[in-house]
Amino acid sequence: MTVTTAGTSANGNVSAATASAAASAAATAEATGPQSLTMAKALNTAMADAMRADPSVLVFGEDVGMLGGVFRITDGLMAEFGEQRCFDTPLAESGIVGMAVGMAINGMRPVIEMQFDAFAYPAFEQIVSHVAKMHNRTKGKLKMPMVIRVPYAGGIGGVEHHCDSSESYYAHTAGLKVYTPATVADGYRMLREAIGSDDPVMFMEPKKLYWSKDQVDLGALRVEHDAGTSTEGRAAVARPGTDATLIAYGPSVPTALAAAAAAAEEGRSLEVIDVRTLVPFDDETVCASVRKTGRAVVIAEAHGFASVSSEIVARVQERAFHYLAAPILRVTGFDVPFPSPKLEHYYLPSVDRILDAVDDLQWED
Amino acid sequence: MTIHADHSAPETAVEDQAADVRTKFGISVEDYMLPARHQIQMVNPDGTLRSHDEQGTEPGHEYPTPGDSELMAAYEQLVVGRRVNDQNSALVRQGRMAVYPSSHGQEACQVAAAMCLSEGDWLFPTYRDAVAVMTRGVDPVEVMTIFRGDWHGGYDPTEHNVGIQCTPLTTQLLHAVGVAHAAKLRGENTVVMAMCGDGATSEGDFHEALNFAAVFHLPVIFFVQNNKYAISVPLSHQSVAPSLAHKAVGYGMAGERVDGNDLVALLAVMDRAVKLARDGSGPLLIEAHTYRMQAHTNADDATRYRPDSEVAEWQAKDPLARMKSYLTDKGLLDAAASERIASHAEAVATQLREGLGEDVPVQPLDLFKYVFAKQTPQLKEQSELLASELARASSGDTDNSGTESAK
């Protein structure tokens, strides 16, 4: 297969030819107006659109080719773009990430899949020592325009090593950006933005939301992307409210929304913030909400100790202390190894546990 | 940009390769992949040329002798490399560099690894491969920046196609694989040299890199400098394989052993490997037998783990003395040429002394400048904090008890 079109290499060694306006226009034309879409399809469409628009975008990993990935997120990409641009690798995660580093050095934009959260650990050295540091070490001469997609977190009854919330490891590593979408539309817009970014992005996909559906206007999202709209560092107000703020991200956003809906029935108005990108973090939107409501609960599936949720609490109290009517509370996974399927519902943040935390926000004062 | 690589199905690939090897070399694919029974060695330690029968070559493992001009150019780099190693060790003793892992004794390997490549090719070196990096054309002072301590890398990797000298062992081999893969997808004829040491062959990334390169049939040359020790641990604790070159066959690639202190043999083997790789042979593994004459770094004490007699034995196999004697006997190296080469080496040493002698002012705010292509608000805030500290320090106001800190 031969693809001839424009290159947008971050490292500047791909010669540009003609732009792929035609392909992009064709993709835009096929879907206009809202349609029912799963997050899986939104992510898949984002990759396909990015591959149509830029021949330097490559997709590879374990089982992503013929099979379309164990979650089918790369379904059809090998058929459309050929096995040069979407292919299976040997079963070795460090190899996948390390090879992607070399490809990024040499003009490509790799989008790679780690099959499951806990299977990404063999690649940790490459991620921490090279993906995160290459730009810094070379004073920007070598950029790392790559996306590492990680299906993560629980809620699907997975066996051991298939349900870890590993986002805090990456968020703690200087030099990585960490995105995690919670809605179908964000699945598309955030993955497109990640692929277009000249920075390395850990793209954490809440696997329990892969099959969640929403009415989404792909045509509008494409126009939005082409216009350069950015969600990086921009949290979303997922539900407005006045009495307290629930701060959530990724898989916890729907749980927080359900809690807010239940609280509304009892006459309590909760605002839900979807953080969207953990790195960079949107201090402004989160703190504005807390200053308005005066109370906050942070919700995350990951262990609470030394985690993204503890970082959020620290940042908010540093910036909004005088607006707080109560200590900021957290509802997180317990500090135990991720439980087996029949025990996971005791571990995961639940609507009841969130409502209990809200009740503890010193309303009587 | 055009992408047109052919990832053929594995079964077909194996058959093709066997047929290819039989046609090209007249031997079985196993005999092609296994290293020759003896290491390739062309010049004796005393500088005399070995007879063809004694060079270790076999059918399918034949090596043409490099041409005179290539030998002379390589010798010049060898002399420069030795001078650089010794100059840098002196600069460490004087406190001008934090550390320097010297390749004294391994310079022939360093020179050959760089000289066998063409302009568009890539080199992925380790921390001990400064001489290879310089031989590739990178400015000596920029090469040493990493050891001077004002930044983690001192040169632009894209200027001479040389990766930053890598410290985490064998992680750079995968970057070499990725560079080769990207080039292949675009139909470019790039060969990539991936360097590591004997101890590094125990790392997982060594295995993953060789396997990826073989599966994707990429033009990568894995070049192992077997200097016998990983800091203090001898090779016998790393591997009990017949040789490190034998590991190649497990990945379906060809392996070869070469005398790493014999620049003539090294050039012959490396040149052929580059040609094979460029012509589509896929990856190759070359093991060079050499010796680290000095300690791991200035912080190491080599007398704790190896006897002086062993060091003396390798002293007699010195690559520089051997090459000098060979070229002199061959009538290529006369007093005038020797003098010219020596003054070239001295000029580089002077450049290093001057470049590393001056105190380059560090730029603290650069800490934040190169973390991301697109800056984050958090780093902007932290950068402003450091900037205000610096401003206070430069205005002499170190007492911040009464000053309003930047919000």
Side-chain angles (χ1 to χ4, degrees):
Chain A
M1 173 182 173
T2 301
V3 179
T4 306
T5 174
T8 53
S9 160
N11 291 319
N13 41 10
V14 176
S15 62
T18 52
S20 61
S24 181
T28 311
E30 85 195 17
T32 46
Q35 57 175 315
S36 179
L37 212 65
T38 60
M39 183 181 290
K41 187 63 187 168
L43 295 168
N44 177 268
T45 308
M47 279 185 279
D49 284 358
M51 291 176 89
R52 280 181 205 116
D54 182 351
S56 68
V57 176
L58 307 174
V59 170
F60 54 92
E62 296 156 4
D63 300 299
V64 301
M66 194 70 84
L67 182 66
V70 294
F71 292 106
R72 308 292 183 268
I73 309 301
T74 59
D75 189 34
L77 297 182
M78 191 172 93
E80 180 176 351
F81 300 100
E83 60 179 302
Q84 300 76 32
R85 296 188 59 201
C86 175
F87 55 88
D88 293 321
T89 64
L91 215 167
E93 294 77 14
S94 185
I96 293 167
V97 175
M99 183 167 78
V101 168
M103 286 183 150
I105 289 173
N106 202 4
M108 298 298 188
R109 287 184 179 273
V111 181
I112 57 182
E113 179 173 302
M114 297 285 103
Q115 197 158 72
F116 283 90
D117 32 59
F119 296 168
Y121 300 145
F124 201 62
E125 182 182 21
Q126 286 287 348
I127 294 172
V128 170
S129 293
H130 294 302
V131 175
K133 293 178 178 169
M134 193 65 83
H135 183 272
N136 185 249
R137 169 189 301 145
T138 62
K139 290 197 170 178
K141 294 293 193 295
L142 294 182
K143 297 184 174 61
M144 285 289 111
M146 58 191 279
V147 179
I148 303 178
R149 296 180 37 244
V150 185
Y152 85 117
I156 61 160
V159 293
E160 199 185 7
H161 313 297
H162 293 69
C163 295
D164 281 14
S165 289
S166 48
E167 69 273 21
S168 300
Y169 303 127
Y170 305 118
H172 185 71
T173 301
L176 300 175
K177 288 183 171 166
V178 185
Y179 293 10
T180 182
T183 68
V184 175
D186 273 354
Y188 180 88
R189 60 164 75 93
M190 290 171 70
L191 185 51
R192 287 251 20 212
E193 181 170 359
I195 297 171
S197 170
D198 283 349
D199 291 315
V201 177
M202 297 300 303
F203 198 84
M204 311 300 292
E205 299 172 0
K207 61 177 91 76
K208 80 168 187 191
L209 300 183
Y210 273 149
W211 305 282
S212 65
K213 277 189 176 172
D214 209 347
Q215 290 293 312
V216 169
D217 185 343
L218 276 175
L221 285 171
R222 284 169 177 139
V223 169
E224 198 185 285
H225 172 81
D226 292 342
T229 310
S230 172
T231 53
E232 185 178 290
R234 289 186 173 83
V237 179
R239 177 190 172 109
T242 52
D243 297 340
T245 303
L246 302 181
I247 305 165
Y249 60 83
S252 299
V253 172
T255 318
L257 286 169
E265 286 176 18
E266 294 166 13
R268 195 166 270 165
S269 167
L270 303 183
E271 181 150 296
V272 177
I273 301 291
D274 173 0
V275 175
R276 301 210 285 193
T277 66
L278 308 181
V279 181
F281 185 76
D282 184 355
D283 288 305
E284 210 174 306
T285 302
V286 172
C287 291
S289 174
V290 176
R291 285 191 194 104
K292 182 180 74 177
T293 63
R295 289 178 169 83
V297 178
V298 182
I299 302 141
E301 285 192 18
H303 311 129
F305 191 84
S307 68
V308 169
S309 66
S310 29
E311 175 66 20
I312 294 174
V313 173
R315 304 187 74 81
V316 174
Q317 72 83 18
E318 281 169 356
R319 288 162 178 77
F321 180 77
H322 292 292
Y323 296 84
L324 289 172
I328 304 165
L329 298 181
R330 287 187 293 160
V331 176
T332 69
F334 297 123
D335 295 327
V336 300
F338 194 89
S340 52
K342 288 181 180 169
L343 289 164
E344 77 170 345
H345 68 282
Y346 295 106
Y347 169 92
L348 294 171
S350 63
V351 168
D352 285 347
R353 207 174 277 158
I354 294 167
L355 291 175
D356 286 348
V358 171
D359 284 344
D360 288 342
L361 291 174
Q362 302 187 0
W363 301 94
E364 66 281 4
D365 293 350
Chain B
M1 183 172 87
T2 304
I3 288 180
H4 53 71
D6 178 24
H7 292 169
S8 50
E11 315 83 63
T12 334
V14 170
E15 270 174 37
D16 284 358
Q17 197 172 359
D20 226 37
V21 166
R22 270 194 298 274
T23 316
K24 204 183 279 180
F25 305 106
I27 54 176
S28 73
V29 71
E30 291 80 7
D31 285 342
Y32 167 69
M33 287 177 185
L34 282 167
R37 287 169 56 85
H38 301 284
Q39 66 172 355
I40 308 301
Q41 187 184 3
M42 293 181 165
V43 177
N44 288 309
D46 65 5
T48 55
L49 185 69
R50 292 169 86 88
S51 73
H52 189 264
D53 295 346
E54 292 173 333
Q55 290 187 359
T57 58
E58 289 172 10
H61 297 256
E62 284 131 345
Y63 296 94
T65 314
D68 291 349
S69 60
E70 185 184 1
L71 292 178
M72 281 300 285
Y75 174 71
E76 181 159 352
Q77 293 299 330
L78 191 64
V79 174
V80 172
R82 173 63 53 84
R83 186 71 190 89
V84 164
N85 273 330
D86 295 347
Q87 178 63 75
N88 285 342
S89 297
L91 286 165
V92 171
R93 287 193 297 275
Q94 294 159 17
R96 287 296 178 182
M97 283 200 287
V99 68
Y100 180 69
S102 176
S103 64
H104 187 118
Q106 301 176 220
E107 292 95 343
C109 297
Q110 301 278 306
V111 169
M115 288 201 63
C116 65
L117 298 175
S118 299
E119 199 184 334
D121 295 340
W122 273 84
L123 179 86
F124 281 85
T126 74
Y127 52 86
R128 201 179 298 286
D129 300 323
V131 171
V133 176
M134 282 179 40
T135 305
R136 187 93 179 113
V138 181
D139 178 82
V141 176
E142 289 183 9
V143 178
M144 302 314 158
T145 299
I146 186 174
F147 302 118
R148 183 172 59 187
D150 46 284
W151 202 259
H152 295 313
Y155 53 91
D156 176 355
T158 61
E159 201 182 326
H160 296 278
N161 288 2
V162 179
I164 291 289
Q165 284 181 265
C166 190
T167 308
L169 301 180
T170 65
T171 53
Q172 80 284 7
L173 303 187
L174 283 160
H175 309 164
V177 168
V179 164
H181 202 159
K184 180 175 175 175
L185 289 172
R186 287 196 299 265
E188 295 163 1
N189 213 0
T190 307
V191 171
V192 184
M193 179 67 61
M195 303 174 75
C196 71
D198 48 305
T201 63
S202 299
E203 292 278 2
D205 277 359
F206 177 81
H207 160 68
E208 296 190 21
L210 268 70
N211 193 44
F212 271 58
V215 167
F216 293 115
H217 205 66
L218 302 173
V220 181
I221 295 162
F222 295 97
F223 182 49
V224 181
Q225 290 171 78
N226 175 359
N227 69 11
K228 310 294 179 284
Y229 291 91
I231 302 189
S232 67
V233 180
L235 182 61
S236 58
H237 289 233
Q238 304 291 346
S239 173
V240 293
S243 81
L244 297 176
H246 278 80
K247 290 178 181 249
V249 70
Y251 301 101
M253 70 172 79
E256 197 69 283
R257 283 173 289 184
V258 58
D259 182 341
N261 287 17
D262 175 358
L263 186 52
V264 180
L266 276 162
L267 288 170
V269 170
M270 303 289 264
D271 285 348
R272 179 177 182 265
V274 168
K275 187 174 185 312
L276 286 173
R278 208 181 304 284
D279 290 350
S281 75
L284 299 108
L285 172 64
I286 296 170
E287 175 190 9
H289 286 269
T290 184
Y291 197 75
R292 192 191 74 215
M293 294 303 293
Q294 296 173 348
H296 168 65
T297 66
N298 48 299
D300 177 36
D301 176 7
T303 63
R304 291 176 71 100
Y305 52 81
R306 63 186 194 188
D308 290 347
S309 58
E310 184 182 284
V311 179
E313 194 183 310
W314 279 92
Q315 184 67 50
K317 299 179 189 171
D318 184 67
L320 205 144
R322 183 188 313 202
M323 193 66 178
K324 184 175 187 175
S325 165
Y326 172 69
L327 292 174
T328 306
D329 290 353
K330 213 165 180 257
L332 292 170
L333 186 67
D334 56 18
S338 270
E339 199 174 314
R340 187 186 56 74
I341 291 169
S343 76
H344 175 199
E346 206 43 51
V348 175
T350 305
Q351 196 186 346
L352 281 167
R353 277 196 307 275
E354 287 173 355
L356 299 167
E358 62 187 77
D359 281 325
V360 181
V362 292
Q363 306 294 333
L365 293 177
D366 278 2
L367 288 173
F368 304 98
K369 210 167 160 184
Y370 304 107
V371 182
F372 293 114
K374 185 179 170 192
Q375 180 72 298
T376 66
Q378 286 74 23
L379 288 186
K380 185 170 177 286
E381 195 178 300
Q382 291 169 25
S383 176
E384 286 161 3
L385 173 71
L386 180 58
S388 72
E389 282 177 12
L390 294 170
R392 279 208 305 275
S394 69
S395 69
D397 175 19
T398 49
D399 173 24
N400 61 3
S401 58
T403 51
E404 184 77 21
S405 68
K407 182 98 174 119

